[in-house]
Amino acid sequence: MAEIGVIVDDWVEDVSARAALPGEAKSLGISPGSIVLTIQRAYLADGRPVEIADIVVPAETSQLGYSGPVSDRT
């Protein structure tokens, strides 16, 4: 993004669990109604979203882990 003059300075993710939709189950090779994790990710520049991703993964074979720098920003 920096190459096109956009400086990403923050990100946010919202994670939830729900039953897979029929098309998702087929695409993921899981049984209909299986539990999936949904991740809505946004990269921000000056508070505005500049890239968004909606991710769906099978809950039974996935693990989420997060890390990031600790800053003194308030």
Side-chain angles (χ1 to χ4, degrees):
M1 290 279 193
E3 290 183 15
I4 61 170
V6 176
I7 306 301
V8 174
D9 56 12
D10 208 357
W11 60 274
V12 62
E13 285 189 356
D14 293 314
V15 180
S16 62
R18 62 167 171 75
L21 301 175
E24 294 169 338
K26 184 176 180 181
S27 294
L28 295 170
I30 58 177
S31 300
S34 294
I35 302 302
V36 293
L37 297 175
T38 63
I39 306 158
Q40 293 178 323
R41 178 183 298 155
Y43 291 102
L44 309 171
D46 292 325
R48 295 180 303 151
V50 294
E51 184 176 335
I52 304 238
D54 290 319
I55 303 162
V56 179
V57 296
E60 62 191 25
T61 59
S62 301
Q63 178 178 332
L64 295 177
Y66 293 91
S67 66
V70 176
S71 72
D72 58 358
R73 289 189 330 175
T74 56

